[in-house]
Amino acid sequence: MPMAKRFSHLLLSFLVLALVCAVPRPALAQGSQYTAIVPVQDTTEAQRDHAFSVALTQVLGRVAGTDLSAKPGYQDTLGKAANYVQQYQYQRADDGNGFMLQVSFDPGAIRRVIASFGGSSWGGSRPPVLLVVRNGSGQLMGADALAPLTQAAGARGVNFVYPAPGAQLDNSALAQADEHALAAVARRYHTGLVLLGSVDHGSAQWTLVAAGQAQSWQSAPGGMDAALSATGSTLVSRLTQRFGDGSQGASSQGVLWVEGVGSAEDFAQLIASVRDDALVRSVRAIQAQGQGVALQISARASMSSVADELAAKGRLLPSHDTHAGADVTLHWLH
């Protein structure tokens, strides 16, 4: 049997299996960004309600990617924090003094609150950002040296990974969003987000590669720690602008066309990646043609937001091509 026909036969077999196994995703709390853990002295109602407000402050800042405290009505919203709680539980503090209260908020309610303040939410899965930052000597900077950056961004729910020892990363190719370079990063670090930096005596150049698109900026002159902290805040702002869904609480159904699915293994990985996404309620394969697959998706956000988030994971890139009947077209990276 010719190779093309053999692949088509295998792909159709997987498609049939996906049709049979397609089930809606349960409405789960979509990631730790909607959960906060705060200390309480006791389990009284007053302490609990205060903890709800503190936890809501953390979650709103994390999901919105910015400080909303100056918005009119913000304090009133904190006073109603209990209305947005999905579940909570106490646990004894590690030092034995008092308790810790873990509070999980309803994702849809949080997104609606942020939208009411005119904000945008990055409300789905959040892949880590690969930090490839070099000092004036060309040496890679590690976690300790970059702590001001990671702490500023981490407070808003962004996590990081670092190049493995001896890793050969082509900074030039990454800065140009080269498909092969991004595919290598995705395979090893499981992300499509890369922050490239060159830092020397408080002056720094940055390039953020996010879902196949690159954007660059320069830190304002100043002390090293201040420049890195400001970069952490800038990074969060740019990620939220790129991946935040402006139509909070919206739901959608649409067709996603994925090209470049070169094997049955690719197809299986694609289905698993889409089904695992926090914004996707259900996914169903409806067509296979050549090396392309059409997926019927029900989502908790717009189709463009779903496509952006899938691309942020690294194995998919937005495609300039269009496909008849598809709302969005993506390209699978090998």
Side-chain angles (χ1 to χ4, degrees):
M1 181 184 296
M3 182 62 70
K5 290 186 176 179
R6 184 181 306 126
F7 168 70
S8 296
H9 176 75
L10 289 171
L11 185 55
L12 286 172
S13 298
F14 271 89
L15 191 151
V16 171
L17 179 61
L19 287 169
V20 173
C21 297
V23 294
R25 286 173 50 88
L28 301 175
Q30 299 156 24
S32 60
Q33 65 265 35
Y34 294 98
T35 297
I37 301 176
V38 296
V40 290
Q41 296 178 356
D42 52 50
T43 59
T44 61
E45 183 176 342
Q47 281 285 307
R48 184 200 65 192
D49 289 346
H50 175 70
F52 284 170
S53 296
V54 173
L56 182 59
T57 299
Q58 296 179 17
V59 168
L60 287 175
R62 193 184 305 152
V63 177
T66 189
D67 183 4
L68 300 171
S69 60
K71 298 290 186 179
Y74 182 82
Q75 293 301 323
D76 289 340
T77 297
L78 295 186
K80 302 173 184 176
N83 294 341
Y84 313 120
V85 174
Q86 190 173 63
Q87 62 182 21
Y88 65 92
Q89 63 181 20
Y90 292 94
Q91 58 190 46
R92 179 70 67 177
D94 291 340
D95 60 6
N97 297 319
F99 299 86
M100 304 298 291
L101 183 61
Q102 178 174 303
V103 188
S104 296
F105 293 93
D106 177 72
I110 294 300
R111 292 195 293 271
R112 288 190 292 272
V113 168
I114 292 172
S116 73
F117 292 134
S120 184
S121 307
W122 184 8
S125 306
R126 295 190 179 189
V129 178
L130 175 63
L131 278 180
V132 187
V133 184
R134 300 183 184 276
N135 60 22
S137 301
Q139 297 175 321
L140 284 171
M141 299 174 65
D144 291 342
L146 295 172
L149 188 160
T150 58
Q151 289 170 3
R156 301 300 184 194
V158 177
N159 298 312
F160 298 90
V161 290
Y162 301 87
Q168 299 297 317
L169 293 168
D170 188 336
N171 284 32
S172 177
L174 286 171
Q176 297 174 32
D178 177 78
E179 178 178 317
H180 298 292
L182 292 176
V185 166
R187 286 193 299 269
R188 185 157 193 175
Y189 302 100
H190 307 290
T191 185
L193 308 177
V194 184
L195 181 63
L196 304 167
S198 176
V199 179
D200 189 16
H201 301 296
S203 174
Q205 300 283 343
W206 305 96
T207 297
L208 172 63
V209 183
Q213 297 181 3
Q215 49 182 295
S216 300
W217 71 95
Q218 184 173 355
S219 292
M224 178 72 74
D225 286 355
L228 289 174
S229 180
T231 298
S233 299
T234 300
L235 172 65
V236 175
S237 176
R238 289 175 180 260
L239 287 172
T240 303
Q241 291 173 8
R242 176 70 174 84
F243 298 106
D245 183 7
S247 54
Q248 308 304 333
S251 59
S252 66
Q253 291 190 4
V255 175
L256 174 67
W257 178 260
V258 182
E259 58 189 26
V261 183
S263 68
E265 180 181 0
D266 285 346
F267 179 77
Q269 292 178 359
L270 168 65
I271 290 292
S273 179
V274 176
R275 183 171 289 159
D276 186 54
D277 193 271
L279 293 183
V280 175
R281 288 194 176 101
S282 65
V283 56
R284 184 167 61 95
I286 57 175
Q287 182 187 4
Q289 179 182 345
Q291 292 194 348
V293 179
L295 305 178
Q296 178 75 47
I297 291 177
S298 174
R300 297 181 174 89
S302 66
M303 285 298 296
S304 61
S305 293
V306 173
D308 282 345
E309 183 169 307
L310 290 172
K313 295 178 180 180
R315 292 303 303 271
L316 291 157
L317 284 180
S319 173
H320 298 296
D321 297 332
T322 59
H323 186 82
D327 298 284
V328 181
T329 302
L330 296 176
H331 179 70
W332 180 258
L333 296 182
H334 297 282

PDB file of all heavy atoms in Angstrom, residues 264-292:
ATOM      1  N   ALA A 264      -0.323   9.167  12.291  1.00  0.00           N
ATOM      2  CA  ALA A 264      -1.362   8.828  13.257  1.00  0.00           C
ATOM      3  C   ALA A 264      -0.943   9.242  14.665  1.00  0.00           C
ATOM      4  O   ALA A 264      -1.779   9.633  15.490  1.00  0.00           O
ATOM      5  CB  ALA A 264      -1.645   7.327  13.214  1.00  0.00           C
ATOM      6  N   GLU A 265       0.367   9.201  14.947  1.00  0.00           N
ATOM      7  CA  GLU A 265       0.862   9.633  16.267  1.00  0.00           C
ATOM      8  C   GLU A 265       0.632  11.130  16.457  1.00  0.00           C
ATOM      9  O   GLU A 265       0.217  11.578  17.535  1.00  0.00           O
ATOM     10  CB  GLU A 265       2.347   9.314  16.403  1.00  0.00           C
ATOM     11  CG  GLU A 265       2.938   9.730  17.751  1.00  0.00           C
ATOM     12  CD  GLU A 265       4.418   9.429  17.843  1.00  0.00           C
ATOM     13  OE1 GLU A 265       4.995   8.908  16.869  1.00  0.00           O
ATOM     14  OE2 GLU A 265       5.001   9.743  18.898  1.00  0.00           O
ATOM     15  N   ASP A 266       0.884  11.913  15.391  1.00  0.00           N
ATOM     16  CA  ASP A 266       0.607  13.342  15.455  1.00  0.00           C
ATOM     17  C   ASP A 266      -0.864  13.585  15.775  1.00  0.00           C
ATOM     18  O   ASP A 266      -1.210  14.444  16.595  1.00  0.00           O
ATOM     19  CB  ASP A 266       0.934  14.017  14.117  1.00  0.00           C
ATOM     20  CG  ASP A 266       2.427  14.180  13.893  1.00  0.00           C
ATOM     21  OD1 ASP A 266       3.198  14.023  14.853  1.00  0.00           O
ATOM     22  OD2 ASP A 266       2.810  14.455  12.737  1.00  0.00           O
ATOM     23  N   PHE A 267      -1.717  12.840  15.104  1.00  0.00           N
ATOM     24  CA  PHE A 267      -3.154  13.013  15.300  1.00  0.00           C
ATOM     25  C   PHE A 267      -3.552  12.716  16.738  1.00  0.00           C
ATOM     26  O   PHE A 267      -4.322  13.471  17.357  1.00  0.00           O
ATOM     27  CB  PHE A 267      -3.923  12.106  14.339  1.00  0.00           C
ATOM     28  CG  PHE A 267      -5.411  12.197  14.481  1.00  0.00           C
ATOM     29  CD1 PHE A 267      -6.111  13.271  13.953  1.00  0.00           C
ATOM     30  CD2 PHE A 267      -6.112  11.222  15.160  1.00  0.00           C
ATOM     31  CE1 PHE A 267      -7.486  13.358  14.094  1.00  0.00           C
ATOM     32  CE2 PHE A 267      -7.484  11.295  15.300  1.00  0.00           C
ATOM     33  CZ  PHE A 267      -8.179  12.371  14.759  1.00  0.00           C
ATOM     34  N   ALA A 268      -3.038  11.634  17.284  1.00  0.00           N
ATOM     35  CA  ALA A 268      -3.359  11.272  18.663  1.00  0.00           C
ATOM     36  C   ALA A 268      -2.876  12.347  19.635  1.00  0.00           C
ATOM     37  O   ALA A 268      -3.580  12.716  20.585  1.00  0.00           O
ATOM     38  CB  ALA A 268      -2.739   9.923  19.011  1.00  0.00           C
ATOM     39  N   GLN A 269      -1.663  12.889  19.407  1.00  0.00           N
ATOM     40  CA  GLN A 269      -1.135  13.930  20.276  1.00  0.00           C
ATOM     41  C   GLN A 269      -1.940  15.222  20.155  1.00  0.00           C
ATOM     42  O   GLN A 269      -2.165  15.926  21.147  1.00  0.00           O
ATOM     43  CB  GLN A 269       0.335  14.186  19.950  1.00  0.00           C
ATOM     44  CG  GLN A 269       1.252  13.034  20.308  1.00  0.00           C
ATOM     45  CD  GLN A 269       2.691  13.308  19.921  1.00  0.00           C
ATOM     46  OE1 GLN A 269       3.014  14.358  19.372  1.00  0.00           O
ATOM     47  NE2 GLN A 269       3.570  12.350  20.197  1.00  0.00           N
ATOM     48  N   LEU A 270      -2.372  15.519  18.944  1.00  0.00           N
ATOM     49  CA  LEU A 270      -3.183  16.708  18.718  1.00  0.00           C
ATOM     50  C   LEU A 270      -4.492  16.627  19.492  1.00  0.00           C
ATOM     51  O   LEU A 270      -4.877  17.566  20.200  1.00  0.00           O
ATOM     52  CB  LEU A 270      -3.462  16.875  17.223  1.00  0.00           C
ATOM     53  CG  LEU A 270      -4.522  17.900  16.838  1.00  0.00           C
ATOM     54  CD1 LEU A 270      -4.075  19.300  17.222  1.00  0.00           C
ATOM     55  CD2 LEU A 270      -4.821  17.817  15.338  1.00  0.00           C
ATOM     56  N   ILE A 271      -5.184  15.506  19.356  1.00  0.00           N
ATOM     57  CA  ILE A 271      -6.458  15.339  20.055  1.00  0.00           C
ATOM     58  C   ILE A 271      -6.259  15.463  21.562  1.00  0.00           C
ATOM     59  O   ILE A 271      -7.031  16.123  22.266  1.00  0.00           O
ATOM     60  CB  ILE A 271      -7.096  13.980  19.709  1.00  0.00           C
ATOM     61  CG1 ILE A 271      -7.583  13.970  18.249  1.00  0.00           C
ATOM     62  CG2 ILE A 271      -8.259  13.664  20.645  1.00  0.00           C
ATOM     63  CD1 ILE A 271      -8.746  14.896  17.987  1.00  0.00           C
ATOM     64  N   ALA A 272      -5.209  14.833  22.085  1.00  0.00           N
ATOM     65  CA  ALA A 272      -4.948  14.896  23.525  1.00  0.00           C
ATOM     66  C   ALA A 272      -4.673  16.325  23.964  1.00  0.00           C
ATOM     67  O   ALA A 272      -5.148  16.768  25.021  1.00  0.00           O
ATOM     68  CB  ALA A 272      -3.768  13.990  23.883  1.00  0.00           C
ATOM     69  N   SER A 273      -3.908  17.078  23.170  1.00  0.00           N
ATOM     70  CA  SER A 273      -3.574  18.448  23.530  1.00  0.00           C
ATOM     71  C   SER A 273      -4.806  19.342  23.548  1.00  0.00           C
ATOM     72  O   SER A 273      -4.991  20.143  24.475  1.00  0.00           O
ATOM     73  CB  SER A 273      -2.549  19.004  22.534  1.00  0.00           C
ATOM     74  OG  SER A 273      -2.227  20.337  22.831  1.00  0.00           O
ATOM     75  N   VAL A 274      -5.670  19.198  22.561  1.00  0.00           N
ATOM     76  CA  VAL A 274      -6.877  20.022  22.506  1.00  0.00           C
ATOM     77  C   VAL A 274      -7.835  19.637  23.621  1.00  0.00           C
ATOM     78  O   VAL A 274      -8.388  20.496  24.317  1.00  0.00           O
ATOM     79  CB  VAL A 274      -7.563  19.890  21.133  1.00  0.00           C
ATOM     80  CG1 VAL A 274      -8.874  20.662  21.113  1.00  0.00           C
ATOM     81  CG2 VAL A 274      -6.640  20.384  20.035  1.00  0.00           C
ATOM     82  N   ARG A 275      -8.024  18.349  23.823  1.00  0.00           N
ATOM     83  CA  ARG A 275      -8.956  17.888  24.849  1.00  0.00           C
ATOM     84  C   ARG A 275      -8.503  18.304  26.247  1.00  0.00           C
ATOM     85  O   ARG A 275      -9.323  18.538  27.133  1.00  0.00           O
ATOM     86  CB  ARG A 275      -9.102  16.365  24.756  1.00  0.00           C
ATOM     87  CG  ARG A 275     -10.116  15.769  25.729  1.00  0.00           C
ATOM     88  CD  ARG A 275     -10.341  14.297  25.412  1.00  0.00           C
ATOM     89  NE  ARG A 275     -11.087  14.148  24.171  1.00  0.00           N
ATOM     90  CZ  ARG A 275     -11.093  13.044  23.428  1.00  0.00           C
ATOM     91  NH1 ARG A 275     -10.361  12.011  23.789  1.00  0.00           N
ATOM     92  NH2 ARG A 275     -11.811  12.975  22.339  1.00  0.00           N
ATOM     93  N   ASP A 276      -7.177  18.441  26.439  1.00  0.00           N
ATOM     94  CA  ASP A 276      -6.636  18.782  27.749  1.00  0.00           C
ATOM     95  C   ASP A 276      -6.698  20.284  28.028  1.00  0.00           C
ATOM     96  O   ASP A 276      -6.436  20.712  29.145  1.00  0.00           O
ATOM     97  CB  ASP A 276      -5.179  18.304  27.837  1.00  0.00           C
ATOM     98  CG  ASP A 276      -4.580  18.482  29.210  1.00  0.00           C
ATOM     99  OD1 ASP A 276      -5.189  17.987  30.182  1.00  0.00           O
ATOM    100  OD2 ASP A 276      -3.523  19.114  29.330  1.00  0.00           O
ATOM    101  N   ASP A 277      -7.047  21.085  27.034  1.00  0.00           N
ATOM    102  CA  ASP A 277      -7.033  22.524  27.234  1.00  0.00           C
ATOM    103  C   ASP A 277      -8.186  22.986  28.118  1.00  0.00           C
ATOM    104  O   ASP A 277      -9.319  22.516  27.977  1.00  0.00           O
ATOM    105  CB  ASP A 277      -7.103  23.246  25.889  1.00  0.00           C
ATOM    106  CG  ASP A 277      -6.788  24.706  26.035  1.00  0.00           C
ATOM    107  OD1 ASP A 277      -7.718  25.502  26.281  1.00  0.00           O
ATOM    108  OD2 ASP A 277      -5.603  25.076  25.934  1.00  0.00           O
ATOM    109  N   ALA A 278      -7.877  23.934  29.010  1.00  0.00           N
ATOM    110  CA  ALA A 278      -8.859  24.357  30.000  1.00  0.00           C
ATOM    111  C   ALA A 278     -10.036  25.117  29.398  1.00  0.00           C
ATOM    112  O   ALA A 278     -11.113  25.156  29.996  1.00  0.00           O
ATOM    113  CB  ALA A 278      -8.173  25.230  31.051  1.00  0.00           C
ATOM    114  N   LEU A 279      -9.858  25.736  28.225  1.00  0.00           N
ATOM    115  CA  LEU A 279     -10.950  26.477  27.621  1.00  0.00           C
ATOM    116  C   LEU A 279     -11.873  25.606  26.779  1.00  0.00           C
ATOM    117  O   LEU A 279     -12.936  26.052  26.366  1.00  0.00           O
ATOM    118  CB  LEU A 279     -10.387  27.608  26.735  1.00  0.00           C
ATOM    119  CG  LEU A 279      -9.650  28.742  27.448  1.00  0.00           C
ATOM    120  CD1 LEU A 279      -9.233  29.796  26.447  1.00  0.00           C
ATOM    121  CD2 LEU A 279     -10.496  29.348  28.550  1.00  0.00           C
ATOM    122  N   VAL A 280     -11.474  24.370  26.529  1.00  0.00           N
ATOM    123  CA  VAL A 280     -12.235  23.485  25.643  1.00  0.00           C
ATOM    124  C   VAL A 280     -13.189  22.615  26.460  1.00  0.00           C
ATOM    125  O   VAL A 280     -12.770  21.892  27.360  1.00  0.00           O
ATOM    126  CB  VAL A 280     -11.282  22.599  24.808  1.00  0.00           C
ATOM    127  CG1 VAL A 280     -12.069  21.589  23.981  1.00  0.00           C
ATOM    128  CG2 VAL A 280     -10.411  23.474  23.903  1.00  0.00           C
ATOM    129  N   ARG A 281     -14.464  22.698  26.119  1.00  0.00           N
ATOM    130  CA  ARG A 281     -15.463  21.838  26.772  1.00  0.00           C
ATOM    131  C   ARG A 281     -15.489  20.454  26.120  1.00  0.00           C
ATOM    132  O   ARG A 281     -15.553  19.442  26.800  1.00  0.00           O
ATOM    133  CB  ARG A 281     -16.851  22.476  26.672  1.00  0.00           C
ATOM    134  CG  ARG A 281     -17.065  23.706  27.556  1.00  0.00           C
ATOM    135  CD  ARG A 281     -18.551  24.040  27.626  1.00  0.00           C
ATOM    136  NE  ARG A 281     -18.820  25.141  28.530  1.00  0.00           N
ATOM    137  CZ  ARG A 281     -19.036  26.391  28.149  1.00  0.00           C
ATOM    138  NH1 ARG A 281     -19.002  26.691  26.853  1.00  0.00           N
ATOM    139  NH2 ARG A 281     -19.279  27.341  29.031  1.00  0.00           N
ATOM    140  N   SER A 282     -15.473  20.439  24.805  1.00  0.00           N
ATOM    141  CA  SER A 282     -15.495  19.160  24.098  1.00  0.00           C
ATOM    142  C   SER A 282     -14.840  19.331  22.738  1.00  0.00           C
ATOM    143  O   SER A 282     -14.795  20.437  22.186  1.00  0.00           O
ATOM    144  CB  SER A 282     -16.934  18.641  23.928  1.00  0.00           C
ATOM    145  OG  SER A 282     -17.691  19.506  23.087  1.00  0.00           O
ATOM    146  N   VAL A 283     -14.316  18.223  22.219  1.00  0.00           N
ATOM    147  CA  VAL A 283     -13.699  18.241  20.902  1.00  0.00           C
ATOM    148  C   VAL A 283     -14.094  16.969  20.167  1.00  0.00           C
ATOM    149  O   VAL A 283     -14.153  15.889  20.762  1.00  0.00           O
ATOM    150  CB  VAL A 283     -12.152  18.367  21.004  1.00  0.00           C
ATOM    151  CG1 VAL A 283     -11.560  17.263  21.863  1.00  0.00           C
ATOM    152  CG2 VAL A 283     -11.519  18.343  19.610  1.00  0.00           C
ATOM    153  N   ARG A 284     -14.366  17.120  18.866  1.00  0.00           N
ATOM    154  CA  ARG A 284     -14.801  15.977  18.067  1.00  0.00           C
ATOM    155  C   ARG A 284     -14.186  16.101  16.677  1.00  0.00           C
ATOM    156  O   ARG A 284     -14.334  17.131  16.010  1.00  0.00           O
ATOM    157  CB  ARG A 284     -16.327  15.961  17.969  1.00  0.00           C
ATOM    158  CG  ARG A 284     -16.908  14.762  17.242  1.00  0.00           C
ATOM    159  CD  ARG A 284     -18.413  14.676  17.485  1.00  0.00           C
ATOM    160  NE  ARG A 284     -19.123  15.850  17.006  1.00  0.00           N
ATOM    161  CZ  ARG A 284     -19.713  15.957  15.821  1.00  0.00           C
ATOM    162  NH1 ARG A 284     -19.645  14.939  14.965  1.00  0.00           N
ATOM    163  NH2 ARG A 284     -20.344  17.048  15.470  1.00  0.00           N
ATOM    164  N   ALA A 285     -13.454  15.082  16.247  1.00  0.00           N
ATOM    165  CA  ALA A 285     -12.896  15.067  14.902  1.00  0.00           C
ATOM    166  C   ALA A 285     -14.006  14.790  13.900  1.00  0.00           C
ATOM    167  O   ALA A 285     -14.779  13.841  14.051  1.00  0.00           O
ATOM    168  CB  ALA A 285     -11.821  13.993  14.801  1.00  0.00           C
ATOM    169  N   ILE A 286     -14.115  15.627  12.860  1.00  0.00           N
ATOM    170  CA  ILE A 286     -15.225  15.480  11.920  1.00  0.00           C
ATOM    171  C   ILE A 286     -14.770  15.258  10.485  1.00  0.00           C
ATOM    172  O   ILE A 286     -15.580  14.881   9.630  1.00  0.00           O
ATOM    173  CB  ILE A 286     -16.160  16.712  11.963  1.00  0.00           C
ATOM    174  CG1 ILE A 286     -15.381  17.995  11.665  1.00  0.00           C
ATOM    175  CG2 ILE A 286     -16.857  16.790  13.312  1.00  0.00           C
ATOM    176  CD1 ILE A 286     -16.263  19.233  11.576  1.00  0.00           C
ATOM    177  N   GLN A 287     -13.485  15.480  10.194  1.00  0.00           N
ATOM    178  CA  GLN A 287     -13.024  15.305   8.814  1.00  0.00           C
ATOM    179  C   GLN A 287     -11.519  15.134   8.789  1.00  0.00           C
ATOM    180  O   GLN A 287     -10.794  15.722   9.594  1.00  0.00           O
ATOM    181  CB  GLN A 287     -13.407  16.522   7.957  1.00  0.00           C
ATOM    182  CG  GLN A 287     -13.009  16.399   6.490  1.00  0.00           C
ATOM    183  CD  GLN A 287     -13.255  17.684   5.715  1.00  0.00           C
ATOM    184  OE1 GLN A 287     -13.644  18.691   6.282  1.00  0.00           O
ATOM    185  NE2 GLN A 287     -13.009  17.639   4.415  1.00  0.00           N
ATOM    186  N   ALA A 288     -11.037  14.293   7.883  1.00  0.00           N
ATOM    187  CA  ALA A 288      -9.605  14.160   7.613  1.00  0.00           C
ATOM    188  C   ALA A 288      -9.406  14.233   6.105  1.00  0.00           C
ATOM    189  O   ALA A 288     -10.107  13.567   5.343  1.00  0.00           O
ATOM    190  CB  ALA A 288      -9.079  12.832   8.149  1.00  0.00           C
ATOM    191  N   GLN A 289      -8.472  15.092   5.687  1.00  0.00           N
ATOM    192  CA  GLN A 289      -8.211  15.254   4.260  1.00  0.00           C
ATOM    193  C   GLN A 289      -6.732  15.526   4.071  1.00  0.00           C
ATOM    194  O   GLN A 289      -6.203  16.512   4.590  1.00  0.00           O
ATOM    195  CB  GLN A 289      -9.045  16.403   3.693  1.00  0.00           C
ATOM    196  CG  GLN A 289      -8.815  16.647   2.205  1.00  0.00           C
ATOM    197  CD  GLN A 289      -9.637  17.820   1.706  1.00  0.00           C
ATOM    198  OE1 GLN A 289     -10.562  18.276   2.372  1.00  0.00           O
ATOM    199  NE2 GLN A 289      -9.293  18.315   0.528  1.00  0.00           N
ATOM    200  N   GLY A 290      -6.048  14.643   3.328  1.00  0.00           N
ATOM    201  CA  GLY A 290      -4.613  14.806   3.157  1.00  0.00           C
ATOM    202  C   GLY A 290      -3.921  14.769   4.507  1.00  0.00           C
ATOM    203  O   GLY A 290      -4.087  13.834   5.283  1.00  0.00           O
ATOM    204  N   GLN A 291      -3.171  15.827   4.824  1.00  0.00           N
ATOM    205  CA  GLN A 291      -2.519  15.940   6.124  1.00  0.00           C
ATOM    206  C   GLN A 291      -3.199  16.997   6.994  1.00  0.00           C
ATOM    207  O   GLN A 291      -2.572  17.642   7.829  1.00  0.00           O
ATOM    208  CB  GLN A 291      -1.035  16.267   5.960  1.00  0.00           C
ATOM    209  CG  GLN A 291      -0.247  15.118   5.358  1.00  0.00           C
ATOM    210  CD  GLN A 291       1.249  15.307   5.519  1.00  0.00           C
ATOM    211  OE1 GLN A 291       1.723  16.370   5.883  1.00  0.00           O
ATOM    212  NE2 GLN A 291       2.002  14.257   5.238  1.00  0.00           N
ATOM    213  N   GLY A 292      -4.505  17.124   6.790  1.00  0.00           N
ATOM    214  CA  GLY A 292      -5.280  18.074   7.585  1.00  0.00           C
ATOM    215  C   GLY A 292      -6.426  17.390   8.303  1.00  0.00           C
ATOM    216  O   GLY A 292      -6.954  16.374   7.831  1.00  0.00           O
TER     217      GLY A 292
END
